[in-house]
């Protein structure tokens, strides 16, 4: 059993002790203490072994009662309740029922989580997915979207805990992972939600993780999946959106699959075609041949829709200095960045160069 079920059982037993005044202990298969409310002396190994092998579900002596916690025909734990009053037996039986309920709930949650992981990876046929979902009481027809969250630190448990807290009230959502590279949120949607709502959710996650978990995060989200059969493809969309976004739009933290623009087109081009394009534009040179200050001026110029005056104001650079820089680029590569067509060509060349750098150093 995981740390989460152990923590929940410990909390329950502490509550039981506070109410009843009795001490409780749960022993695992090798008689090691799984959870306990105090340091009491447990029965001898021989007595525990006799109880395990016997047919009785409970037994008592002068100081404590022993109970078997079963799952169908499998013995999961032995519960020890210390006490000799008339109520001890009843309290022990109630405790066994509560422990079984907690374990069943945890097992169902684990089954659902494993189902969703396999579903996202495309491990089920459509019929298998439908039948398994029906057994686990998961809707097969509602609309969902897949969010993929990545933080600077792989396998960030703090970020995972925080995301689970954010969505704790949404019992039909799934928060899982298929590797240590990201956290997956499969979010059930209502009919009134739009892609603007998905974008807002993604920004909320980035802001919350930045403010509360103190970590930079990137969030990508898929198109809307209309049923279980579409979720594997939605997961691929979210992964692709995250990868494309980090390559081509590094200044952003949120990437929607519907908003990948020209980056998606370049991503799907053969590498040799991209190399030919760069060779054609830069004539044997590369974007790395341009100094960082000039590249920053060009990026700001593009962000301001080719407006020289606004670029000059933002960078505190004289307008004539910008003109001089652009004329040097024109002489070197034959592209006048003040014209829309040449600016578009250079912008695409910047995106392609970034893509080729990523492919050579993934």
């Amino acid at each position: 059993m995981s740390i989460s079920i152990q923590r929940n059982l410990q909390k329950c037993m502490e509550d039981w002790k506070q109410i009843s005044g009795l001490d409780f202990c749960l022993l695992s298969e090798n008689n090691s203490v799984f959870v306990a409310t105090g340091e009491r002396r447990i029965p001898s190994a021989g007595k525990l072994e006799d109880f395990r092998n016997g047919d009785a579900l409970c037994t008592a002596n002068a100081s404590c009662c022993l109970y078997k916690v079963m799952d169908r025909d499998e013995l999961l734990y032995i519960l020890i309740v210390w006490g000799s009053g008339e109520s001890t037996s009843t309290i022990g039986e109630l405790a066994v029922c509560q422990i079984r309920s907690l374990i069943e709930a945890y097992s169902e949650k684990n089954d659902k989580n494993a189902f969703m992981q396999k579903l996202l990876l495309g491990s089920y046929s459509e019929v298998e997915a439908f039948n398994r979902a029906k057994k686990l009481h998961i809707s097969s027809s509602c609309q969902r979207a897949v969010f993929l969250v990545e933080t600077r630190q792989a396998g960030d448990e703090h970020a995972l805990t925080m995301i689970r807290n954010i969505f704790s009230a949404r019992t039909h959502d799934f928060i899982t992972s298929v590797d240590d590279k990201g956290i997956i949120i499969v979010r059930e949607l209502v009919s009134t939600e739009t892609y603007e709502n998905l974008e807002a959710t993604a920004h909320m996650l980035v802001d919350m993780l930045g403010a509360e978990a103190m970590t930079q995060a990137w969030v990508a989200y898929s198109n809307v999946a209309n049923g279980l059969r579409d979720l594997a493809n939605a997961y691929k969309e979210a992964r692709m959106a995250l990868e494309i976004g980090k390559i081509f739009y590094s200044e952003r933290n949120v990437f929607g699959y519907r908003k990948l623009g020209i980056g998606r087109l370049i991503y799907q081009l053969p590498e040799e075609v991209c190399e030919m394009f760069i060779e054609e534009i830069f004539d044997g040179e590369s974007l790395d041949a341009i100094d960082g200050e000039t590249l920053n001026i060009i990026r700001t110029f593009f962000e301001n829709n080719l407006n020289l005056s606004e670029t000059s104001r933002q960078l505190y650079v004289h307008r004539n200095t910008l003109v001089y820089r652009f004329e040097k680029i024109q002489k070197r590569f034959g592209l006048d960045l003040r014209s829309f067509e040449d600016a578009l060509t250079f912008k695409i060349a910047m995106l392609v160069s970034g893509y080729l750098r990523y492919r050579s150093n993934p």
Side-chain angles (χ1 to χ4, degrees):
M1 290 288 177
S2 76
I3 294 174
S4 61
I5 187 65
Q6 187 177 26
R7 191 181 298 122
N8 286 337
L9 285 169
Q10 182 70 49
K11 174 67 168 57
C12 284
M13 287 192 176
E14 295 291 349
D15 291 342
W16 300 339
K17 178 178 180 178
Q18 188 174 4
I19 294 167
S20 67
L22 304 176
D23 269 315
F24 300 82
C25 177
L26 207 57
L27 301 179
S28 58
E29 185 178 1
N30 59 357
N31 291 337
S32 61
V33 175
F34 188 62
V35 289
T37 60
E39 295 185 2
R40 294 271 197 151
R41 184 176 180 180
I42 65 174
S44 67
K47 288 182 179 179
L48 290 172
E49 192 63 26
D50 289 342
F51 179 56
R52 284 182 184 278
N53 295 330
D55 295 329
L57 294 176
C58 63
T59 187
N61 58 33
S63 61
C64 65
C65 296
L66 275 63
Y67 302 85
K68 290 178 181 175
V69 181
M70 308 291 293
D71 180 19
R72 298 180 181 87
D73 295 327
E74 181 185 359
L75 175 60
L76 299 179
Y77 300 103
I78 290 178
L79 172 68
I80 306 173
V81 183
W82 279 276
S84 56
E86 292 182 4
S87 62
T88 303
S89 177
T90 303
I91 292 170
E93 290 174 5
L94 289 171
V96 169
C97 291
Q98 185 65 30
I99 292 168
R100 288 181 59 187
S101 295
L102 283 169
I103 292 170
E104 285 172 9
Y106 174 81
S107 297
E108 183 180 358
K109 183 179 178 181
N110 259 18
D111 287 345
K112 287 183 176 181
N113 195 55
F115 165 74
M116 191 55 65
Q117 289 175 344
K118 290 182 180 180
L119 187 68
L120 293 173
L121 294 174
S123 302
Y124 292 114
S125 69
E126 188 171 341
V127 173
E128 286 174 334
F130 177 83
N131 290 335
R132 185 69 177 151
K134 186 176 180 180
K135 183 177 179 181
L136 293 171
H137 308 292
I138 297 172
S139 173
S140 59
S141 58
C142 68
Q143 291 188 325
R144 296 179 174 92
V146 176
F147 291 79
L148 185 58
V149 182
E150 187 175 292
T151 58
R152 283 197 176 277
Q153 181 180 347
D156 192 335
E157 287 295 328
H158 186 36
L160 178 60
T161 300
M162 185 176 172
I163 289 172
R164 283 183 171 145
N165 289 337
I166 291 171
F167 292 96
S168 60
R170 297 180 57 89
T171 56
H172 295 293
D173 291 349
F174 291 89
I175 299 168
T176 186
S177 62
V178 295
D179 52 37
D180 63 352
K181 294 182 179 178
I183 300 163
I184 303 165
I185 304 163
V186 181
R187 189 166 180 270
E188 187 171 310
L189 308 177
V190 297
S191 58
T192 55
E193 288 187 273
T194 64
Y195 282 100
E196 285 71 27
N197 296 118
L198 302 185
E199 181 86 3
T201 298
H203 280 287
M204 177 272 291
L205 285 166
V206 169
D207 293 342
M208 291 288 285
L209 287 168
E212 302 295 333
M214 304 296 289
T215 184
Q216 184 177 10
W218 297 267
V219 180
Y221 61 91
S222 69
N223 284 332
V224 173
N226 290 315
L228 289 178
R229 66 185 183 279
D230 296 330
L231 277 178
N233 190 55
Y235 172 60
K236 291 177 184 176
E237 290 174 350
R239 287 211 75 90
M240 181 181 287
L242 184 64
E243 187 169 0
I244 292 174
K246 291 180 74 174
I247 296 170
F248 297 105
Y249 310 110
S250 58
E251 73 281 2
R252 303 183 202 168
N253 290 82
V254 169
F255 316 110
Y257 185 75
R258 289 166 62 94
K259 297 184 175 183
L260 295 176
I262 198 169
R264 189 207 321 267
L265 294 176
I266 296 171
Y267 183 81
Q268 294 174 334
L269 289 174
E271 196 170 338
E272 57 269 20
V273 172
C274 294
E275 290 171 347
M276 287 172 58
F277 176 74
I278 293 299
E279 174 70 24
E280 177 184 329
I281 298 302
F282 293 123
D283 192 24
E285 293 192 70
S286 71
L287 198 66
D288 295 332
I290 303 174
D291 65 272
E293 185 180 355
T294 300
L295 280 176
N296 184 50
I297 289 171
I298 293 170
R299 289 190 181 98
T300 307
F301 183 57
F302 289 163
E303 289 169 4
N304 286 291
N305 298 315
L306 312 188
N307 187 315
L308 270 173
S309 298
E310 183 60 24
T311 303
S312 172
R313 187 189 68 80
Q314 282 192 16
L315 295 175
Y316 302 101
V317 175
H318 195 278
R319 194 175 190 278
N320 290 342
T321 302
L322 297 183
V323 171
Y324 172 71
R325 295 276 185 140
F326 292 152
E327 286 177 348
K328 284 184 67 177
I329 293 291
Q330 185 175 3
K331 287 178 183 177
R332 189 170 185 179
F333 302 114
L335 296 172
D336 183 0
L337 300 186
R338 293 164 293 181
S339 77
F340 174 77
E341 186 173 342
D342 285 357
L344 178 61
T345 300
F346 196 90
K347 176 66 174 178
I348 293 172
M350 291 175 71
L351 292 172
V352 172
S353 295
Y355 174 60
L356 289 174
R357 275 198 302 272
Y358 169 81
R359 291 298 295 265
S360 60
N361 298 290

